[in-house]
Amino acid sequence: MRIFTKKLPHPDLPAEEKAQLLQNSEYQEMMVESTFMYLTLDLPTAPLYKDEKEQLIIPQVPLFSILAKFNGATEKEYKTYKENFLKRFQLTRLPPYLIFCIKRFTKNNFFVEKNPTIVNFPITNVDLREYLAEEAQAAHANTTYDLVANIVHDGKPSEGSYRIHVLHHGTGKWYELQDLQVTDILPQMITLSEAYIQIWKRREEDDTNQQGA
């Protein structure tokens, strides 16, 4: 992927000083190319309000909304102890298998917090062509992916448990694994879970088994 980084002046500086700093080379956008093992998808901050029955509302977000991080245009601010940066990302090559890590956990000095936002995603036919750099699109005949595994975290960050949804390629059926228990599961139930890590397989020309939801 390409990573574009632009240093930001300190927010407390006067406007004139900010404008002057932005002319310096140190504050100009820089680009580096980097390999990646997986793509981290950031969740929006979960709202704290409740509905009329005093039940906490679990927010939802479409997969393509959090994938926008890699469209080459969406900027996100990253803060360090001393400096702030704006970054944007753009993919230049798609692998046969793609791993998404949905960032549910954040740490501070005292405890770990979990974001319960549900990600709405299709099981099959996720096309990532628009996230490729324009000149790289011609080199990719196939940019469509199907889900093959979905790892779910249930419960609190410190005492939760994990489940895995796995596609059986021979039959096109989905199964849920937890410890030694294996049960079948409907594809539409997978999308209701608190997905944490997902593995997607790129669809090739000779793929004939494309069952799912």
Side-chain angles (χ1 to χ4, degrees), residues 90-129:
Q90 187 174 48
L91 304 180
T92 58
R93 186 177 177 186
L94 292 172
Y97 289 88
L98 193 57
I99 301 174
F100 292 163
C101 180
I102 299 171
K103 191 175 180 182
R104 293 200 172 276
F105 303 99
T106 54
K107 296 181 179 180
N108 58 34
N109 294 332
F110 304 100
F111 54 85
V112 178
E113 290 183 293
K114 179 184 175 184
N115 189 324
T117 299
I118 298 295
V119 179
N120 297 319
F121 57 91
I123 298 293
T124 62
N125 203 31
V126 171
D127 192 351
L128 299 183
R129 182 168 295 275

Side-chain angles (χ1 to χ4, degrees), residues 48-141:
L48 300 177
Y49 56 81
K50 299 180 180 181
D51 63 13
E52 61 273 9
K53 296 181 180 180
E54 289 299 306
Q55 298 293 317
L56 283 175
I57 296 175
I58 299 178
Q60 301 183 29
V61 61
L63 174 65
F64 292 103
S65 291
I66 55 179
L67 271 174
K69 172 182 178 179
F70 299 99
N71 64 10
T74 300
E75 292 182 319
K76 182 181 177 183
E77 186 172 352
Y78 290 81
K79 298 181 179 181
T80 66
Y81 179 69
K82 291 184 178 180
E83 299 174 317
N84 296 346
F85 298 90
L86 272 183
K87 291 190 176 186
R88 55 190 180 95
F89 306 86
Q90 187 174 48
L91 304 180
T92 58
R93 186 177 177 186
L94 292 172
Y97 289 88
L98 193 57
I99 301 174
F100 292 163
C101 180
I102 299 171
K103 191 175 180 182
R104 293 200 172 276
F105 303 99
T106 54
K107 296 181 179 180
N108 58 34
N109 294 332
F110 304 100
F111 54 85
V112 178
E113 290 183 293
K114 179 184 175 184
N115 189 324
T117 299
I118 298 295
V119 179
N120 297 319
F121 57 91
I123 298 293
T124 62
N125 203 31
V126 171
D127 192 351
L128 299 183
R129 182 168 295 275
E130 67 178 279
Y131 305 101
L132 279 171
E134 187 173 352
E135 68 276 10
Q137 293 181 11
H140 290 73

